[in-house]
Amino acid sequence: MSNKKFWLNIFFILISVAGVVAFLISIRQAADTKPVPSTGKKERQDDSDQLVGMKLKIPGSDKNSYWDLNVASLDSLDNIGHMKGIKGQYYSNKKPVYHLSAQSGLIFWKTKILKLKGKVSLSTNDNRLLTAEVIAWDPNTNKVTAKNNVILKTAKLTVRSTAIITNLSMNQATFSQNTTALYER
Amino acid sequence: MKNIFRMSLFLIMICIICGAGIIWAEEQIELIAPGGGEMDLKQDLMKYYSSGSNKVQVLWGNSTMEAGYLEYYRDQDILKGKDGIKMTQKKPVTRVLKCVEITVDLKKDFFAANKEVFLNYDENTSFSGNSLEWDRKNDQIKILGKPEIVYKDWKILGERIEGQVTKGVITIFGPVHAFNGDSNVRCGKMIFERAQDLFTLQDNPVVVRGKNEMIATEIYYDLKTKKVTASGEVKTRTIE
């Protein structure tokens, strides 16, 4: 009897776990198929528009790619957006491939250039990580420029430098002066 | 009894942690590039540049190296350096290798140095030439391009030097010319045994000391006692 009760409990646990997983998958698929429209509150202040708690969709370097950013606040003035509390992903063919976070940043609306400051972190799905005080990304050239306390980590390699120019996938990079590389052999 | 056991266990753990730290350090390679560098992860190649007199530095195992320019092929574990190469081995004794170009195979512990090669092997011995190949793992060395050995007060010149430098048996292929303050030696081939302080001279050897000359089939020169012995057909004469 007790054996029967044990297996029944296991069965109910498995059903519950499967249900939670299915729910999460459906949420993620919904997020993939259509971008979430901005839901921030709008407040007018002088000549700038200030928005609080919103999502930004910024075109990428090709037509099938874009940044999907959550920002705590956005202040837009003279074709420049001033952002705070930035976190997001870069989608390519509807799949997230790069991940970004920063304390603050600028978006130049005309050129779509992003300039991020304050503990900026950029990572790839294959565990390459770039951190710096300042990271800028230019979709027109697909170049990423990082400055100040730059650290680039890949498999078994850590590079520290004052500045790096690379691309989003971080498979090629040029380091400025005072570069140190540490390899695990 | 329990306390002794616990103390032993603690000491063993400390030894393991320290050992692991040393092994981890041995398994790392650190490069410092004052002039920056370039990385290509597709080809697994990195390039490093110096800046003025501040050279690129590499640290691995018990060795360090500086160069004007360096490439590291990570998949093959090979370093290629150019311009003002200076490689220093810290253990078991300090040894310094200088040259213009070098290729280091870190896996095989093999060096190929070219142009103006100078190896300061220990306080008594140095090698120089235009090219050097040194297989440290198998203790094999080869020097070409007007190779020279300086050993204590002796200078040995030849056409090619090969041997086991750690074991201390080196063959100099000639024509060979060796000399110090009071002796002059010529032969076709010399076997230099460092541990025994002995020259074995072959292929028409001639030894001249002061005004005395000895020619024989084979001559043995003891560097410690300065005693010269010969075998085979021996001829001696006084030079006027």
Side-chain angles (χ1 to χ4, degrees):
Chain A
M1 209 47 188
S2 63
N3 215 16
K4 200 177 173 183
K5 262 192 185 171
F6 172 75
W7 285 111
L8 209 56
N9 288 334
I10 296 290
F11 176 72
F12 281 126
I13 290 167
L14 285 173
I15 293 286
S16 309
V17 167
V20 167
V21 168
F23 175 70
L24 290 171
I25 289 170
S26 67
I27 293 265
R28 189 179 175 125
Q29 277 181 347
D32 283 350
T33 49
K34 58 179 180 183
V36 177
S38 66
T39 54
K41 281 190 250 179
K42 195 170 177 178
E43 293 166 14
R44 212 165 258 290
Q45 201 170 356
D46 299 326
D47 293 331
S48 67
D49 288 324
Q50 191 185 61
L51 292 147
V52 177
M54 64 176 294
K55 264 186 177 284
L56 283 179
K57 196 170 171 180
I58 301 162
S61 53
D62 58 69
K63 62 176 185 178
N64 297 321
S65 61
Y66 62 92
W67 284 104
D68 187 20
L69 302 178
N70 291 306
V71 296
S73 70
L74 173 68
D75 226 313
S76 191
L77 180 66
D78 293 337
N79 291 316
I80 301 173
H82 299 253
M83 304 176 283
K84 283 188 183 168
I86 306 154
K87 198 166 183 179
Q89 292 173 324
Y90 187 86
Y91 283 80
S92 180
N93 296 319
K94 298 181 182 178
K95 287 177 188 170
V97 286
Y98 308 118
H99 314 271
L100 177 68
S101 68
Q103 288 177 341
S104 65
L106 303 173
I107 168 78
F108 295 82
W109 297 116
K110 277 189 181 170
T111 57
K112 306 292 181 281
I113 290 172
L114 276 174
K115 267 190 184 167
L116 306 161
K117 287 182 193 176
K119 293 182 185 174
V120 189
S121 166
L122 175 65
S123 62
T124 68
N125 285 347
D126 53 0
N127 298 320
R128 289 176 193 169
L129 174 65
L130 177 65
T131 57
E133 279 303 309
V134 178
I135 293 182
W137 175 73
D138 185 345
N140 307 296
T141 59
N142 199 24
K143 272 192 183 160
V144 173
T145 308
K147 287 180 190 174
N148 301 337
N149 296 322
V150 181
I151 301 174
L152 174 60
K153 284 187 184 178
T154 69
K156 296 188 178 184
L157 168 64
T158 302
V159 183
R160 293 171 197 272
S161 187
T162 47
I164 285 179
I165 299 173
T166 182
N167 48 23
L168 279 175
S169 58
M170 295 180 236
N171 55 15
Q172 286 175 322
T174 303
F175 303 96
S176 75
Q177 294 181 339
N178 303 318
T179 294
T180 305
L182 193 66
Y183 295 87
E184 306 293 336
R185 291 169 60 211
Chain B
M1 195 67 186
K2 261 188 187 174
N3 283 338
I4 294 167
F5 175 74
R6 278 178 197 161
M7 184 59 75
S8 309
L9 203 60
F10 176 72
L11 286 170
I12 288 166
M13 281 183 67
I14 294 289
C15 290
I16 289 168
I17 289 164
C18 291
I22 291 164
I23 290 164
W24 184 66
E26 291 273 331
E27 293 304 314
Q28 274 190 313
I29 173 168
E30 186 179 352
L31 285 106
I32 301 163
E38 293 168 33
M39 175 181 83
D40 186 340
L41 288 178
K42 282 183 200 168
Q43 294 181 51
D44 224 357
L45 165 65
M46 286 196 72
K47 298 178 183 178
Y48 298 93
Y49 302 97
S50 56
S51 175
S53 59
N54 294 321
K55 297 215 171 162
V56 179
Q57 289 182 53
V58 192
L59 298 90
W60 80 97
N62 65 355
S63 302
T64 62
M65 185 162 79
E66 58 182 52
Y69 167 75
L70 198 84
E71 292 177 351
Y72 179 43
Y73 296 79
R74 193 155 67 130
D75 55 342
Q76 298 166 64
D77 215 9
I78 285 176
L79 287 165
K80 285 188 181 178
K82 271 196 318 193
D83 302 334
I85 306 290
K86 181 181 172 186
M87 199 182 92
T88 306
Q89 176 190 305
K90 292 175 239 169
K91 293 172 191 173
V93 293
T94 301
R95 294 188 175 124
V96 179
L97 172 64
K98 292 181 183 178
C99 59
V100 175
E101 297 170 356
I102 195 166
T103 300
V104 180
D105 188 325
L106 296 166
K107 270 186 209 157
K108 294 178 184 173
D109 204 10
F110 176 86
F111 309 91
N114 288 301
K115 296 180 188 172
E116 298 168 30
V117 181
F118 179 81
L119 170 61
N120 192 356
Y121 189 77
D122 58 32
E123 59 182 356
N124 291 320
T125 318
S126 66
F127 302 87
S128 61
N130 207 39
S131 78
L132 172 144
E133 288 178 5
W134 187 11
D135 180 350
R136 283 202 304 195
K137 206 182 261 185
N138 298 312
D139 190 24
Q140 290 287 340
I141 200 165
K142 191 197 287 186
I143 306 172
L144 297 168
K146 295 185 182 173
E148 265 182 42
I149 301 175
V150 173
Y151 178 69
K152 293 181 182 173
D153 63 342
W154 282 90
K155 197 167 192 175
I156 308 164
L157 312 171
E159 287 298 308
R160 184 172 98 246
I161 293 172
E162 287 182 19
Q164 294 181 287
V165 66
T166 306
K167 193 178 170 183
V169 179
I170 296 159
T171 304
I172 302 101
F173 298 88
V176 180
H177 180 205
F179 53 92
N180 68 356
D182 53 31
S183 296
N184 212 306
V185 167
R186 289 184 190 275
C187 59
K189 181 178 167 186
M190 175 195 281
I191 299 168
F192 169 34
E193 292 170 78
R194 233 158 42 103
Q196 280 77 43
D197 256 352
L198 178 69
F199 290 159
T200 301
L201 311 171
Q202 297 170 346
D203 291 352
N204 304 314
V206 178
V207 175
V208 176
R209 188 187 290 158
K211 289 186 179 178
N212 299 310
E213 181 185 90
M214 177 190 282
I215 299 170
T217 308
E218 199 165 270
I219 297 175
Y220 309 94
Y221 195 128
D222 188 316
L223 305 181
K224 274 186 214 151
T225 62
K226 296 190 181 181
K227 192 177 170 185
V228 178
T229 51
S231 68
E233 197 179 318
V234 181
K235 289 179 192 171
T236 58
R237 70 180 180 120
T238 305
I239 303 166
E240 287 171 31

